[in-house]
Amino acid sequence: MRRRQFFKPLPPSLTGSVPPSRGPAPAESDLFVYGTLRKGQKNPFAARLAGQGRWISEGTLQGRLYELGGYPGVVDSADPQDRVLGDVFRIPAFGNLLRWLDAYEGCSPRHPRPHEYRRQRVPVTLSDGTVRHCWCYLYNGATEGLKPILSGDYLSGR
């Protein structure tokens, strides 16, 4: 029988790393949603996210929100006054939920390009002031002629 060897980890001062944060475990990711998937929405897609994920907090990201015709889209903004309100969910990093969300948002590998959305990590400020890097679906199209939602809150701006 082979003996396992356990090594004592080096302290952060010697490795240059920082201690673990309150962020997600490696098998989990945070997801920021700002429209039809928000907490409390009455549709089967929001119900699936709420059932398979865990709501963490409201949060905001720097961006500009637009009405796309029954659902919203957010784009990057250089103006720090442009804030979008949404919800952060903790979701499994691996498995079917992210693939399902990609399909729901029309940006899975089987959807034709260019995709309407792209999934990328963005900094989100939680209601307690902490910042998390969350997956978010950003609108990938032109915004000319679209109606901006100036409040940044899709649920109140409808």
Side-chain angles (χ1 to χ4, degrees), residues 67-155:
E67 173 61 53
L68 302 180
Y71 57 94
V74 67
V75 298
D76 293 324
S77 172
D79 185 347
Q81 299 300 311
D82 288 336
R83 304 297 299 175
V84 175
L85 179 67
D87 292 291
V88 175
F89 285 86
R90 177 80 36 85
I91 62 170
F94 306 103
N96 293 330
L97 187 57
L98 267 177
R99 285 192 295 270
W100 176 81
L101 287 164
D102 285 349
Y104 173 73
E105 299 292 356
C107 62
S108 73
R110 68 179 168 85
H111 286 90
R113 292 186 180 263
H115 296 150
E116 185 174 29
Y117 290 93
R118 69 183 188 281
R119 177 168 48 96
Q120 76 178 57
R121 290 196 185 271
V122 295
V124 174
T125 304
L126 303 184
S127 58
D128 69 1
T130 61
V131 175
R132 296 255 180 99
H133 284 81
C134 303
W135 286 119
C136 182
Y137 291 90
L138 300 176
Y139 181 62
N140 208 28
T143 58
E144 293 79 27
L146 295 177
K147 178 185 172 197
I149 300 172
L150 299 176
S151 69
D153 182 357
Y154 180 68
L155 301 183

Side-chain angles (χ1 to χ4, degrees), residues 12-73:
S13 61
L14 295 177
T15 63
S17 64
V18 295
S21 69
R22 298 182 322 157
E28 299 177 311
S29 291
D30 289 335
L31 172 73
F32 179 79
V33 295
Y34 53 87
T36 59
L37 295 175
R38 287 201 49 199
K39 180 182 176 190
Q41 290 300 287
K42 305 290 186 215
N43 66 67
F45 308 105
R48 182 169 180 177
L49 175 58
Q52 293 185 17
R54 189 175 85 242
W55 184 83
I56 300 296
S57 174
E58 279 192 342
T60 62
L61 67 76
Q62 185 173 319
R64 189 167 290 157
L65 191 62
Y66 290 92
E67 173 61 53
L68 302 180
Y71 57 94

